[in-house]
Amino acid sequence: MQQPELGRRLTALRKEKNLTQEELVEKSHVSVRTIQRIEAGEVLPRMSTVKILLGALGVSYDSFLAKPAQAMETPKSTLPIVNRNILLIAALAGAVYLVAQSILGAMDIAWIINHTGWELRENTIYTGLTVVMVISYTLFARGFIALGTVFEHPLLKVVSYVLIIATGLKGIFDVASLSVELADTLWLSYTVIAVLFGALSIVFGISLIRLQDGMGEICRVAGILEIIIGCTLVTVVLFFVTYIILIPATVLEILVLYRGYEYLSRSESPQLASD
């Protein structure tokens, strides 16, 4: 189905449900500007965006397409199958990751300022927190892989996989570095790591911004914060700013995952009711 027919039919369906554009925004989490442009026939939206709007309007994709029409993108009659619990677990894991990473960041800064070695107790705490951080981040990032599948966003999936691998390798390096006596020998390695994670954060931020049509304005804000984090890491000398921006960025990303969970829950409800 092409524009402007798509826009006209969505507008008629919305009015039939007695919904304003603003009310549809609240139900679908698609930005009002996107809805306005779709209904006006100005843009041809992603298939996933159309399915989100239809789900919010309580209409299945199949029933909306009363007769065969030209595909807007790659035609699919249903959303990719994704377990919604992956997103819920990812949101919870994000909270654990944020706490663990904040404590590790504070320990890193204290170590840099004091320039003193740690005793066995501090090394054990740091190692344990690093393990928790890596595991929780892996579960956290799996949520974005799931969102990339649902919203047909391959870049988000790829960068999430790469971030999981990079975070695991960095965790191993962090623990191994505890046994290094001369801290000055680590600066070059950590400079390379900062630049690498900076570049990945920028790409991840761009991916989140591109997700805003499906998940709303919150994705754009989270994406901008990730890009800022990436830029501070790339400069290396401003790395400490990362720990400040990390908190609001991660909180917003947790909310994005929870919205994804709610969306999949709504999508599954009609199917359960018909069984």
Side-chain angles (χ1 to χ4, degrees):
M1 185 182 301
Q2 299 291 338
Q3 288 285 31
E5 181 185 359
L6 174 64
R8 286 198 298 265
R9 291 187 59 185
L10 283 174
T11 302
L13 181 60
R14 175 176 59 77
K15 291 181 178 179
E16 179 184 326
K17 301 293 184 179
N18 294 317
L19 293 175
T20 65
Q21 289 182 337
E22 289 73 18
E23 289 171 333
L24 183 55
V25 168
E26 294 179 2
K27 292 174 68 68
S28 66
H29 302 303
V30 176
S31 67
V32 66
R33 178 57 180 158
T34 298
I35 293 175
Q36 290 172 343
R37 296 181 68 192
I38 293 173
E39 292 190 352
E42 297 176 0
V43 295
L44 191 60
R46 292 174 178 268
M47 184 72 70
S48 56
T49 303
V50 175
K51 291 174 181 175
I52 291 171
L53 292 173
L54 291 175
L57 292 168
V59 176
S60 69
Y61 180 74
D62 289 334
S63 63
F64 182 74
L65 294 182
K67 59 183 179 179
Q70 294 180 347
M72 288 176 281
E73 290 182 353
T74 304
K76 292 184 180 179
S77 58
T78 58
L79 285 170
I81 298 175
V82 172
N83 188 339
R84 62 180 178 177
N85 289 329
I86 291 177
L87 294 173
L88 183 59
I89 292 172
L92 296 174
V96 176
Y97 161 74
L98 179 59
V99 173
Q101 184 59 53
S102 298
I103 297 174
L104 287 170
M107 294 182 74
D108 286 336
I109 293 175
W111 182 83
I112 292 172
I113 294 175
N114 296 327
H115 294 287
T116 57
W118 285 342
E119 300 297 332
L120 177 61
R121 183 171 65 90
E122 287 81 3
N123 286 343
T124 302
I125 293 174
Y126 191 89
T127 300
L129 283 172
T130 299
V131 172
V132 171
M133 183 274 294
V134 171
I135 294 174
S136 59
Y137 184 82
T138 299
L139 296 173
F140 181 50
R142 279 184 68 218
F144 291 100
I145 294 172
L147 286 180
T149 300
V150 171
F151 295 104
E152 301 169 351
H153 196 337
L155 180 61
L156 180 61
K157 294 172 63 177
V158 171
V159 72
S160 297
Y161 275 120
V162 175
L163 279 168
I164 289 174
I165 296 172
T167 300
L169 293 176
K170 180 180 179 296
I172 294 173
F173 184 81
D174 286 341
V175 173
S177 67
L178 295 175
S179 61
V180 176
E181 295 182 0
L182 297 176
D184 291 341
T185 61
L186 299 174
W187 285 109
L188 178 59
S189 298
Y190 275 110
T191 296
V192 173
I193 290 173
V195 172
L196 171 62
F197 272 90
L200 290 174
S201 293
I202 292 172
V203 176
F204 184 59
I206 294 172
S207 300
L208 288 177
I209 291 174
R210 292 176 59 183
L211 195 64
Q212 67 177 327
D213 280 354
M215 298 300 296
E217 186 73 9
I218 190 173
C219 284
R220 187 177 70 86
V221 178
I224 291 173
L225 290 178
E226 279 290 343
I227 292 174
I228 294 174
I229 288 175
C231 291
T232 59
L233 285 173
V234 168
T235 63
V236 180
V237 294
L238 295 176
F239 79 94
F240 59 90
V241 179
T242 301
Y243 295 113
I244 300 175
I245 308 176
L246 177 69
I247 296 176
T250 305
V251 169
L252 289 177
E253 289 160 12
I254 291 171
L255 293 176
V256 169
L257 291 170
Y258 188 74
R259 281 191 174 182
Y261 168 76
E262 289 182 324
Y263 166 65
L264 288 182
S265 297
R266 290 196 302 269
S267 299
E268 291 177 8
S269 295
Q271 297 178 0
L272 293 174
S274 62
D275 289 344

